[in-house]
Amino acid sequence: MRQSRKLSPRNGGVKPKEMRIISDSSEMQTLANRIRETDLLIGFVPTMGYLHEGHGSLIRGARQQSDIVVLSIFVNPTQFGPAEDLDKYPRDMERDKEIAREAGTDYIFYPEARDIYTSEFQTYVNVEKITKSHCGVSRPTHFRGVATVCTKLFNIVLPHWAFFGQKDYQQCAVIRRMVKDLNMNLEIIVLPTVREADGLAMSSRNVYLTPEERKQATCLYESLQLAKNMVRAGRTDARTILMAMREHIKRKPLASIDYVSIADTDTLQELETIRTEAVALLAVYFGKTRLIDNEILRVM
Ligand code: AMP
């Protein structure tokens, strides 16, 4: 999977004078159709809100290469399992508006759940093999929700390209697979993970961490760096690298490993030996908070 790319400036990052919020999906789709008729290029950033610098970098990426930037804020119920944090997912629309405006958003699409999922709703998008491993093990219906909502959002916003963060690596792989398999008429662009100063990947869920958990959570990034350095130093057997990663994480008493994996960058199939490149992926619980991260490993 192509990780990230140099953006070709079109708009050059010039910010719009004003930003509009649209909550009706028909209105958004009509507007997107009208924009398309004028040959302007639409860049789209789908999010669940509670924006941080990771989202900001996607908006700025979209701003660089699109005429019109649409950001969606929608806490998508179908991607949450029954025991997950849908109801307490953090929200702050006023702050989100500021960050979105500052990063150069033209339109925020901010629908209500009953608009996206009407009472008659019964159609889901199921990407098969690639959704079963990794996060799909502990979150068996998650990617069905993600694929379904992205399909709907793509059909409403009609983007020429949609921007996703590498932080959610499996999500990117699933969406790319879906776009190819269903001949969807847009390009998926993946931009690098934005991190806190100590390496922790920015995430809306980091607010759930207690101060002590937050301190120990750097073990995700550290173990990925450990893997990267081992591969740089010539180790290519995944089992040894995984063992070192696990040991590093286990040193943190509050961390509980969901999975640590070294996999093919496209298919996410587990690898025994790293030939040219691979992706190291992990998910670690701190209490009920589940953090994910990943890093590309390249043989020098
Ligand atoms: P979310 O609001 O968590 O659903 O994320 C919306 C988009 O932002 C997804 O494409 C994420 O991969 C991306 N994203 C989340 N955190 C980061 C980060 N730290 N760096 C870059 N992109 C991110």
Side-chain angles (χ1 to χ4, degrees):
M1 178 162 82
R2 193 163 33 144
Q3 293 318 304
S4 57
R5 57 179 252 175
K6 267 220 165 83
L7 300 172
S8 48
R10 178 168 168 104
N11 160 281
V14 178
K15 290 177 195 163
K17 287 204 185 72
E18 59 172 313
M19 180 179 78
R20 268 186 62 198
I21 299 177
I22 296 176
S23 41
D24 184 74
S25 54
S26 311
E27 187 186 344
M28 184 70 240
Q29 196 181 42
T30 304
L31 174 77
N33 264 316
R34 240 188 275 134
I35 294 169
R36 279 207 161 227
E37 280 163 15
T38 62
D39 285 340
L40 294 176
L41 298 176
I42 303 174
F44 176 44
V45 181
T47 79
M48 298 208 297
Y50 209 67
L51 303 182
H52 51 67
E53 188 44 35
H55 302 110
S57 81
L58 297 182
I59 301 169
R60 282 193 299 277
R63 181 75 276 158
Q64 278 290 321
Q65 79 165 44
S66 321
D67 300 302
I68 301 292
V69 175
V70 181
L71 168 84
S72 65
I73 295 181
F74 180 59
V75 182
N76 174 36
T78 63
Q79 70 188 67
F80 288 77
E84 291 181 2
D85 57 342
L86 173 62
D87 292 336
K88 65 175 180 103
Y89 195 82
R91 291 165 166 87
D92 188 344
M93 190 55 181
E94 285 314 306
R95 194 166 138 266
D96 285 356
K97 280 196 245 175
E98 275 318 301
I99 294 172
R101 186 180 291 117
E102 191 45 43
T105 305
D106 292 286
Y107 298 97
I108 298 183
F109 178 48
Y110 184 50
E112 289 198 31
R114 61 168 184 251
D115 177 347
I116 298 298
Y117 300 109
T118 63
S119 53
E120 292 90 36
F121 187 85
Q122 52 186 294
T123 307
Y124 291 89
V125 180
N126 215 2
V127 182
E128 304 246 318
K129 219 155 80 191
I130 202 169
T131 62
K132 303 282 187 283
S133 65
H134 299 87
C135 292
V137 175
S138 59
R139 308 186 77 190
T141 57
H142 173 67
F143 289 114
R144 182 180 83 142
V146 170
T148 302
V149 80
C150 284
T151 301
K152 285 180 66 78
L153 291 170
F154 294 165
N155 284 336
I156 294 166
V157 175
L158 305 174
H160 293 82
W161 30 69
F163 294 78
F164 289 84
Q166 190 192 315
K167 201 210 102 197
D168 297 84
Y169 193 94
Q170 190 174 14
Q171 171 169 280
C172 295
V174 168
I175 297 299
R176 275 196 207 277
R177 187 70 262 149
M178 176 185 85
V179 164
K180 267 195 203 130
D181 289 352
L182 298 183
N183 306 84
M184 291 183 172
N185 192 18
L186 80 162
E187 190 186 344
I188 300 302
I189 297 176
V190 177
L191 296 183
T193 303
V194 177
R195 300 179 178 283
E196 303 287 356
D198 61 5
L200 178 68
M202 288 190 184
S203 164
S204 308
R205 289 191 166 103
N206 289 350
V207 291
Y208 298 150
L209 299 170
T210 64
E212 190 48 39
E213 287 170 342
R214 170 64 189 82
K215 238 190 258 166
Q216 296 188 19
T218 54
C219 69
L220 279 85
Y221 178 69
E222 288 158 5
S223 73
L224 291 168
Q225 293 313 299
L226 185 66
K228 199 168 160 179
N229 290 334
M230 285 176 84
V231 174
R232 272 196 189 142
R235 292 229 82 116
T236 54
D237 55 315
R239 198 188 301 198
T240 313
I241 300 166
L242 288 171
M243 214 183 322
M245 292 174 76
R246 281 201 198 96
E247 266 168 26
H248 182 80
I249 296 166
K250 281 181 182 162
R251 265 185 235 133
K252 307 290 174 185
L254 300 177
S256 158
I257 295 174
D258 179 5
Y259 66 79
V260 180
S261 162
I262 291 178
D264 179 90
T265 52
D266 282 317
T267 63
L268 296 192
Q269 297 227 6
E270 211 71 38
L271 295 177
E272 278 179 22
T273 309
I274 305 166
R275 303 214 181 280
T276 49
E277 65 169 17
V279 57
L281 301 138
L282 42 74
V284 177
Y285 284 98
F286 285 87
K288 280 192 181 152
T289 309
R290 187 170 166 284
L291 302 179
I292 57 171
D293 204 347
N294 66 83
E295 182 73 77
I296 300 295
L297 309 175
R298 284 195 184 89
V299 176
M300 291 289 165

